[in-house]
Amino acid sequence: MVIDGIILSVIVGFIRKGNLSKLTQPLFKWGWMFPLLLAIQLGVFYFQNKVEWIGQASGYVYIIVYVLGLLFLWVNRHQKGLPLVFVGVFLNFLVMITNGGRMPVSAEAAAGLDPMYMEAIKNGFYAKHELLTQSTTFAFLGDIIPVGPPYPRSQVISIGDVIMNVGIFLFIQDLMLNKDNENSHISYESSDLKGGEIQ
């Protein structure tokens, strides 16, 4: 869902004649942390069902990744939209840490997805997720919102995901359209690609 928010915001920013090249500039304090956390998550996701100890530790790893991610967002909270991203990530973190490091998924909300998805969750193949039950803590913060047609990709998301994507949208829009930022990079912009025109 995060990728969807990024793509949508870039498209809207381009239509509004925003500057795509701003996305390539150094943006964050501790910028090395984001790709590292992403690589760890992808690594755990790939090996969790192939290497037993990784599967057993995956819940703890995801919690550590979330804590470091929140720290990363906090030190960059001056960027527009990132406080909302922080809130969204925190809500997802809250429901996961109170449910053994797993994101609860509503079977009812996921009814429109490929049945193999729910079967994989029941069998523990998606270690980051588990089935939402009556004993789930903060169930309303789990993946309970179905997204489907006419949206091109069917999925189930959480309230935290929605808030996080709003923050990402605002962050990218501000970055691509911020006039002050443009004025401080006049020489750099001379060859920038903008929506609908090439300067």
Side-chain angles (χ1 to χ4, degrees):
M1 188 63 186
V2 171
I3 300 299
D4 296 21
I6 293 173
I7 293 173
L8 175 63
S9 187
V10 170
I11 292 173
V12 172
F14 188 71
I15 292 173
R16 297 175 67 192
K17 299 189 184 302
N19 197 328
L20 284 175
S21 66
K22 299 289 177 59
L23 301 177
T24 66
Q25 298 176 27
L27 303 173
F28 304 113
K29 298 177 182 175
W30 302 2
W32 52 270
M33 185 180 286
F34 181 76
L36 175 63
L37 297 179
L38 182 62
I40 292 174
Q41 285 203 70
L42 291 175
V44 172
F45 182 80
Y46 182 77
F47 289 109
Q48 64 191 359
N49 295 316
K50 299 177 180 178
V51 181
E52 184 177 354
W53 70 267
I54 293 180
Q56 293 174 345
S58 59
Y60 300 104
V61 173
Y62 285 128
I63 291 299
I64 293 172
V65 167
Y66 265 79
V67 170
L68 293 176
L70 285 168
L71 183 61
F72 170 75
L73 290 168
W74 180 254
V75 300
N76 289 284
R77 63 189 182 280
H78 58 283
Q79 302 260 20
K80 187 172 183 178
L82 292 196
L84 272 180
V85 178
F86 180 92
V87 171
V89 173
F90 176 77
L91 293 179
N92 284 346
F93 170 73
L94 179 62
V95 69
M96 289 180 70
I97 198 172
T98 55
N99 290 283
R102 309 294 169 90
M103 171 60 80
V105 180
S106 164
E108 182 180 4
L113 304 183
D114 188 332
M116 291 180 62
Y117 173 73
M118 287 306 297
E119 197 62 31
I121 290 179
K122 292 175 184 175
N123 293 329
F125 290 129
Y126 290 151
K128 192 178 176 182
H129 298 82
E130 67 177 10
L131 194 61
L132 189 151
T133 67
Q134 290 186 340
S135 62
T136 298
T137 306
F138 295 120
F140 68 99
L141 294 178
D143 283 345
I144 60 171
I145 305 171
V147 178
Y151 193 77
R153 196 161 66 94
S154 296
Q155 53 191 308
V156 182
I157 63 175
S158 67
I159 294 173
D161 291 334
V162 174
I163 295 174
M164 189 165 47
N165 275 279
V166 171
I168 290 171
F169 184 88
L170 294 176
F171 169 70
I172 293 178
Q173 292 299 297
D174 181 66
L175 193 66
M176 292 181 68
L177 301 168
N178 189 304
K179 301 303 181 187
D180 293 337
N181 198 16
E182 285 186 1
N183 291 335
S184 65
H185 296 84
I186 293 174
S187 60
Y188 181 76
E189 282 184 355
S190 60
S191 61
D192 284 349
L193 176 62
K194 283 189 171 186
E197 60 181 314
I198 298 178
Q199 290 189 334

